[in-house]
Amino acid sequence: MTFRPTYISFDCYGTLIRFRMTEMAQAHFGDRVSAENMPRLIEDWAQYRFDETLGAWKPYKQVLINSVERLCKRWGLEYDEAFGASVYEAVPTWGPHADVPGGLAPIADKIPLVILSNASNDQIQRNVDQLGAPFHRVYTAEMAQAYKPRMQAFEYMFDQLGCGPEEMMHVSSSFRYDHNTAKDLRFGCQVFVGRGHEPSNANYRDIEIPHIGCLPAVVGL
């Protein structure tokens, strides 16, 4: 399948930027949670972060702080609000997966690239600057006043671009945050990047690639 979209939209954290929540959880909770139980704690924290995005918009810093508080309550651990704040401050320092700059570079001057991210405005640009390719537009949950997977986040992007989903390709490593909604909105093409943090689901993607280096071939470049 070769589809040449008007725009390619991307999830940022996890798909383009290497998401380091696992390492931060291991460093913070490692002396209180056994190595055997750590994967379950990390999974639980991911679920709480997701749940915090489903209601009315609130600052991403609060999403993180709330998710840590709920995690600690569930696990019977002492709660430290400073940990959630420290994660928020760390996010802009995280760099891309190694395959990202080389994968984006052949596309960026031919098809406009767009980011739709569950980020705050004061975080995202430092990450984008490390991606090695120019982006036409960068949209955040703060701008949309809604987090993915809510349709409102995607609809904000469509309104800003003046473009419908059928003309666009969406690229993400997450079905939960991105592809389930993208399917409901009928994007022209959905590309799942198999980063390993979510299992594949053929019902909610058109193409699966192992890394962004494969993306130019998907659009015939």
Side-chain angles (χ1 to χ4, degrees):
M1 176 181 179
T2 300
F3 175 69
R4 289 295 294 267
T6 303
Y7 298 99
I8 305 176
S9 55
F10 293 84
D11 166 60
C12 185
Y13 300 111
T15 303
L16 301 179
I17 294 293
R18 185 183 167 199
F19 214 39
R20 297 180 178 271
M21 294 293 184
T22 293
E23 293 95 324
M24 296 205 73
Q26 290 169 334
H28 185 72
F29 295 109
D31 61 346
R32 291 173 285 168
V33 176
S34 69
E36 179 183 4
N37 288 331
M38 185 61 72
R40 286 199 301 115
L41 179 138
I42 290 167
E43 182 179 354
D44 287 348
W45 188 26
Q47 315 303 0
Y48 283 126
R49 293 197 308 272
F50 178 77
D51 191 64
E52 286 290 326
T53 67
L54 298 179
W57 181 86
K58 53 181 170 283
Y60 188 62
K61 186 174 184 179
Q62 197 62 50
V63 168
L64 291 174
I65 289 172
N66 290 358
S67 69
V68 172
E69 183 175 16
R70 295 171 69 186
L71 177 70
C72 290
K73 179 180 179 181
R74 178 170 180 176
W75 280 75
L77 300 170
E78 183 179 354
Y79 168 61
D80 178 8
E81 183 175 328
F83 173 59
S86 71
V87 176
Y88 180 83
E89 296 300 326
V91 169
T93 70
W94 297 343
H97 291 282
D99 52 87
V100 168
L104 295 179
I107 304 173
D109 63 344
K110 300 174 181 66
I111 303 172
L113 309 181
V114 177
I115 282 175
L116 179 63
S117 176
N118 280 358
S120 295
N121 294 345
D122 62 357
Q123 292 180 305
I124 190 74
Q125 195 57 49
R126 286 177 63 188
N127 299 113
V128 174
D129 289 344
Q130 301 180 65
L131 295 177
F135 276 77
H136 175 69
R137 293 287 186 272
V138 176
Y139 302 121
T140 69
E142 183 175 358
M143 294 175 189
Q145 291 291 286
Y147 289 100
K148 299 177 296 181
R150 293 190 60 203
M151 286 186 177
Q152 181 179 329
F154 290 89
E155 289 167 341
Y156 175 83
M157 175 175 69
F158 303 148
D159 289 344
Q160 297 302 306
L161 293 173
C163 179
E166 67 281 353
E167 303 172 57
M168 297 182 62
M169 173 183 288
H170 191 65
V171 181
S172 175
S173 60
S174 175
F175 289 100
R176 173 170 285 185
Y177 282 98
D178 287 82
H179 284 302
N180 294 350
T181 307
K183 178 75 169 182
D184 291 341
L185 291 168
R186 300 189 182 93
F187 269 77
C189 183
Q190 294 177 236
V191 178
F192 174 64
V193 185
R195 296 292 189 193
H197 51 257
E198 289 189 21
S200 183
N201 186 331
N203 294 317
Y204 288 91
R205 50 91 171 148
D206 298 303
I207 298 170
E208 181 171 344
I209 58 176
H211 54 75
I212 297 297
C214 299
L215 190 60
V218 173
V219 293
L221 296 175

